[in-house]
Amino acid sequence: NLILGKRKAVVSTQSTGDDSITIFSDYAVPNGAMLDRSVEFLSRTNRAAVLLQRDSPVISFLEQTLGKYISEVIVSEFKASKKDPEFQFYDQTETKLFSYNVKPAVFDLFLAIAVFVYLGAVYLFVKSVPVMMTYAYQLRKLKSS
């Protein structure tokens, strides 16, 4: 549901020398107590998108409140396109949180050490290939002589 409102200008200007402008006239100034009650009502009322029907108390409240201050209030219903929605309505108001036991950090440490040892062994093997080739060449030379 979408509530649209159109406001006619209720602007009164007061020229007191400092060119101050009053935006709302006396009847359009919001009442503090009314705002407190409105916030209280909206905070204790469920406003999930799936629960807001045409006759919902939240929609009725907003329509009546806007009707006090603006000249025309229009309530329109719309649904998201199924092919390419611009927004997503989640249909569950209550969900469950799933948590899982994870492996301890000691396992990660052990795995990191094992990877470093493996990489170090590969590095030392690659570095020792020229030495082993030289040794093999010398052995071969001694056998042939």
Side-chain angles (χ1 to χ4, degrees):
N1 291 326
L2 177 66
I3 299 179
L4 298 175
K6 184 179 4 175
R7 174 124 176 100
K8 291 185 179 176
V10 183
V11 177
S12 64
T13 59
Q14 300 172 347
S15 179
T16 59
D18 61 348
D19 294 332
S20 62
I21 296 175
T22 304
I23 302 295
F24 296 115
S25 63
D26 291 338
Y27 78 91
V29 175
N31 183 358
M34 184 192 74
L35 288 175
D36 290 340
R37 287 193 304 271
S38 299
V39 169
E40 181 183 337
F41 170 73
L42 290 173
S43 64
R44 66 181 156 87
T45 306
N46 196 349
R47 298 179 312 276
V50 284
L51 300 176
L52 290 179
Q53 302 299 325
R54 176 94 171 128
D55 58 346
S56 170
V58 173
I59 300 295
S60 302
F61 170 75
L62 291 174
E63 187 177 8
Q64 289 172 0
T65 304
L66 284 174
K68 290 179 188 176
Y69 296 102
I70 58 177
S71 60
E72 186 179 343
V73 177
I74 300 170
V75 178
S76 301
E77 292 184 36
F78 63 94
K79 293 184 180 182
S81 170
K82 296 210 184 251
K83 288 184 180 178
D84 187 28
E86 295 180 17
F87 50 87
Q88 176 72 36
F89 286 129
Y90 296 98
D91 56 352
Q92 293 181 352
T93 56
E94 268 187 41
T95 58
K96 293 181 180 178
L97 174 68
F98 295 101
S99 62
Y100 300 99
N101 288 333
V102 294
K103 60 187 182 299
V106 174
F107 177 76
D108 288 340
L109 182 65
F110 174 74
L111 189 61
I113 291 171
V115 167
F116 285 129
V117 167
Y118 171 76
L119 290 176
V122 169
Y123 174 77
L124 291 175
F125 176 76
V126 169
K127 289 291 274 185
S128 66
V129 166
V131 173
M132 287 190 294
M133 292 295 286
T134 306
Y135 179 72
Y137 179 72
Q138 288 175 356
L139 260 176
R140 191 171 170 202
K141 198 175 188 184
L142 285 176
K143 282 187 181 181
S144 65
S145 46

